[in-house]
Amino acid sequence: MASMTEDIVKQETLPTDVSQDQTQTVAQQPVRQGIARAAALAKEAEGRARTKQHAKGKLTARERLDLLFDTDSFEELGRFAGAGIVEGKAGSAVITGFGEVYGRKVAVYAQDFSIRGGTLGQAEGQKICRLMDMAIEMGVPIVAVIDSGGARIQEGVAALTQYGHIFRKTCQASGYVPQISLILGPCAGGAVYCPALTDLIIMTRENSNMFVTGPDVVKAATGETISMDDLGGGVVHASTSGVAHYLGSDEADAIDYARTVLAYLPANCKEEPLRYAFASGHAEREAAKRLATIVPDNERQPYDVLDVIRSIVDYGEFVQVQELFASSAVVGFACLEGRSVGIVANQPLVDAGSLDVDSSEKIARFVRLCDAFNLPVITLVDTPGYKPGSDQEHAGIIRRGAKLIYAYANAQVPLVTVVLRKAFGGSYIVMGSKSIGADVNFAWPTSQIAVLGAQGAVNIIHRRDLQKAQESGADVNALRQQLVADYEATTVNANLSLEMGEIDAMIDPEQTREAIAESLRTLSSKRRHRLVDKHHGNQPL
């Protein structure tokens, strides 16, 4: 094959008597040769990528895109931007373009670790920013596939500047189009804030790392010796820090989760989520019957709230978010009569479903996500209150717990709440109560709503009576039980809330799905409105 230089020389030395048609024919030769050379370089680059990535147990960037998108739907942009075809360089260290997920358009940029370690330089930053601009203009979700050594040292400040541009674009897109980050390799230093600004972060059990300062810097600065996985691996961020929203068993699992989440979200904040065909039948009736047996009458007896959720939603399908983090709360996506909804619930199996700093932030962020993208929020309440202790106070339960209040109080999507068993004190208020802005509130007949649980309330209200009984030699336990029973009958049950209008209806457990569905049908025409004219609120951070 003749070189591109030789072809150009042929153009420059054409005889003067060559016809116009002949000139056009000859002039096209270098283009064809260039295309052939570029195609050969691309093929060679993918072969090298497979060799390097597969040896580490990782897929190539293009193999990942094949898993993410519907078959043959990916259209690449700027394939050779930043390339040096004459020098034998196939392209930049990032792939950008558009494809389809379940038939809907999605933008993607995927870092290619096989090219300069996936590092980000000026060419890569410009490609990513151009893609994000197009995604915002088109109103389509953005998926980032991260596998990078960070900023390209050789380019210095020029590389760092590109991160600033990407940060700004990500903030502009936030709340307008869904943004999902797949961490399928290293992500360190300032680069971690690209995914941190997105809606969901998905990591894998192996090969996936995120940290601001790496193990070597940590050891130099503090003397601590720690591995990359223990410092910022997928397990750590999914279960301890809460940075990751899903931990994939492998890359295929992580990518499949991204596809699943995109099926529940609209393309942008101006659209409603897709409606899926659904016909209620025998399975839903049987599931409704099971609800009557799941929640024990004894408020101290635990149960799995996931059983309740799966008995309410379509086909029992529930996609959890942050399943391994702050597990006293459960959040995730489901469908009800074919419509996407967000589910928030207390989990009595963990700390009796009490709220703490982590579960408050977990719920708050999820409610904000649903509100941004028009998903109704269904809240299932069974909580004794906030988790007590100096560790919670010192960790900022006041500041961080206030985020939950801010999320519900500002949400303008349909809000439907069901009190399953107990809702005490401030936790009753913040978990989607009528006073904080919920549209429709239900309670099961055995539910308890009060400032304090009966045992605690009796110990405070009747402490003198109990002390006198003890001094007189009376049966203190019998008296306490009698006072508890009286308090439960007159104060703790949901009748007072029902009479005040804080609860719209008392429903049997078997009616829960239909009651929620009917409420969502009624609220389907609910529209957003601005209450006051302001730039934005100043929520606790």
Side-chain angles (χ1 to χ4, degrees):
M1 181 184 295
S3 69
M4 184 176 294
T5 304
E6 292 172 345
D7 289 325
I8 293 173
V9 170
K10 288 179 182 178
Q11 287 186 72
E12 294 176 346
T13 57
L14 287 172
T16 56
D17 59 342
V18 174
S19 68
Q20 184 177 0
D21 290 341
Q22 288 175 312
T23 303
Q24 290 176 346
T25 301
V26 177
Q28 288 175 357
Q29 290 299 321
V31 178
R32 289 202 292 269
Q33 294 291 346
I35 291 173
R37 176 58 178 152
L41 283 174
K43 185 176 181 180
E44 292 168 8
E46 183 61 15
R48 288 194 300 270
R50 282 195 294 268
T51 300
K52 291 179 180 180
Q53 293 290 88
H54 291 182
K56 301 173 185 177
K58 299 162 64 176
L59 299 176
T60 70
R62 296 184 184 279
E63 288 172 335
R64 291 163 177 167
L65 296 183
D66 286 341
L67 290 175
L68 176 64
F69 290 124
D70 301 344
T71 304
D72 296 329
S73 69
F74 179 59
E75 181 179 357
E76 187 169 357
L77 298 178
R79 171 67 178 85
F80 295 101
I85 296 175
V86 174
E87 296 86 2
K89 297 178 182 178
S92 64
V94 67
I95 301 167
T96 59
F98 294 86
E100 293 183 353
V101 175
Y102 297 118
R104 296 194 296 164
K105 192 71 70 180
V106 173
V108 69
Y109 68 86
Q111 294 174 321
D112 188 345
F113 196 81
S114 70
I115 298 178
R116 300 185 183 184
T119 53
L120 184 128
Q122 190 164 2
E124 288 78 10
Q126 289 173 348
K127 284 181 69 172
I128 292 171
C129 288
R130 177 174 178 249
L131 175 89
M132 297 183 75
D133 280 335
M134 292 180 67
I136 293 171
E137 289 175 5
M138 295 164 61
V140 300
I142 302 170
V143 175
V145 183
I146 309 296
D147 187 0
S148 170
R152 189 167 297 151
I153 297 173
Q154 295 90 329
E155 296 190 27
V157 176
L160 293 176
T161 299
Q162 294 304 318
Y163 276 118
H165 294 320
I166 296 171
F167 294 163
R168 187 173 176 83
K169 296 293 182 188
T170 306
C171 292
Q172 289 173 359
S174 180
Y176 182 68
V177 295
Q179 299 181 88
I180 298 176
S181 297
L182 281 156
I183 315 299
L184 303 181
C187 182
V192 298
Y193 293 108
C194 290
L197 292 167
T198 61
D199 299 304
L200 294 169
I201 294 175
I202 302 168
M203 300 182 73
T204 55
R205 194 171 291 276
E206 304 289 341
N207 299 320
S208 182
N209 301 104
M210 292 180 73
F211 37 71
V212 176
T213 55
D216 292 341
V217 176
V218 170
K219 185 174 183 179
T222 68
E224 179 186 6
T225 300
I226 189 169
S227 70
M228 290 178 64
D229 284 341
D230 290 339
L231 180 63
V235 174
V236 168
H237 284 312
S239 60
T240 304
S241 71
V243 168
H245 297 82
Y246 182 75
L247 181 66
S249 58
D250 55 24
E251 292 190 17
D253 181 36
I255 293 170
D256 182 67
Y257 183 81
R259 283 177 56 88
T260 300
V261 168
L262 287 170
Y264 287 95
L265 296 171
N268 58 68
C269 68
K270 296 181 179 180
E271 295 183 4
E272 293 294 322
L274 288 179
R275 295 294 295 266
Y276 298 99
F278 177 80
S280 182
H282 177 73
E284 284 67 42
R285 290 190 292 272
E286 289 300 312
K289 292 178 182 177
R290 285 198 299 273
L291 281 172
T293 63
I294 294 173
V295 179
D297 292 335
N298 183 352
E299 67 176 77
R300 296 179 179 274
Q301 187 175 340
Y303 64 94
D304 191 349
V305 78
L306 291 175
D307 293 335
V308 175
I309 295 171
R310 291 176 181 134
S311 297
I312 293 173
V313 301
D314 294 355
Y315 308 115
E317 294 178 359
F318 178 56
V319 179
Q320 282 202 66
V321 175
Q322 290 186 297
E323 178 180 357
L324 304 178
F325 177 70
S327 48
S328 63
V330 171
V331 301
F333 302 105
C335 283
L336 202 68
E337 294 190 333
R339 179 179 183 177
S340 296
V341 297
I343 304 285
V344 173
N346 305 113
Q347 176 56 285
L349 281 180
V350 181
D351 293 333
S354 57
L355 294 172
D356 59 12
V357 290
D358 289 336
S359 60
S360 295
E361 288 185 335
K362 174 179 175 176
I363 297 173
R365 185 86 197 289
F366 183 74
V367 170
R368 294 283 282 178
L369 174 64
C370 292
D371 186 49
F373 296 111
N374 305 317
L375 268 65
V377 177
I378 298 168
T379 306
L380 306 177
V381 184
D382 188 350
T383 177
Y386 285 93
K387 187 177 180 180
S390 60
D391 60 330
Q392 289 294 305
E393 297 296 343
H394 297 170
I397 187 63
I398 297 172
R399 170 178 56 85
R400 295 164 71 182
K403 297 178 185 181
L404 179 55
I405 299 173
Y406 196 96
Y408 271 108
N410 283 275
Q412 294 198 18
V413 292
L415 301 175
V416 179
T417 300
V418 182
V419 179
L420 304 181
R421 189 166 61 173
K422 58 185 180 295
F424 295 150
S427 60
Y428 158 69
I429 303 272
V430 304
M431 286 294 295
S433 67
K434 181 67 68 69
S435 57
I436 208 169
D439 299 294
V440 182
N441 292 63
F442 300 109
W444 285 4
T446 55
S447 60
Q448 300 179 342
I449 303 173
V451 174
L452 199 62
Q455 289 281 354
V458 164
N459 288 337
I460 294 173
I461 297 172
H462 297 285
R463 64 180 182 277
R464 291 183 179 177
D465 297 329
L466 295 171
Q467 185 177 358
K468 289 179 181 179
Q470 185 176 13
E471 291 172 353
S472 65
D475 189 340
V476 176
N477 288 333
L479 177 60
R480 180 181 286 108
Q481 292 304 316
Q482 177 60 47
L483 293 171
V484 165
D486 292 343
Y487 186 84
E488 288 180 344
T490 59
T491 307
V492 175
N493 66 64
N495 287 338
L496 180 60
S497 298
L498 190 64
E499 293 165 0
M500 292 175 59
E502 293 299 307
I503 296 295
D504 292 298
M506 197 83 74
I507 60 172
D508 287 328
E510 297 95 321
Q511 299 174 296
T512 306
R513 174 184 164 88
E514 181 54 37
I516 295 173
E518 178 61 34
S519 298
L520 293 181
R521 289 193 291 269
T522 300
L523 296 167
S524 62
S525 60
K526 183 181 179 182
R527 294 293 178 265
R528 299 175 185 274
H529 58 281
R530 179 175 289 188
L531 297 174
V532 294
D533 187 16
K534 60 181 178 181
H535 299 303
H536 57 73
N538 184 22
Q539 73 178 91
L541 297 171

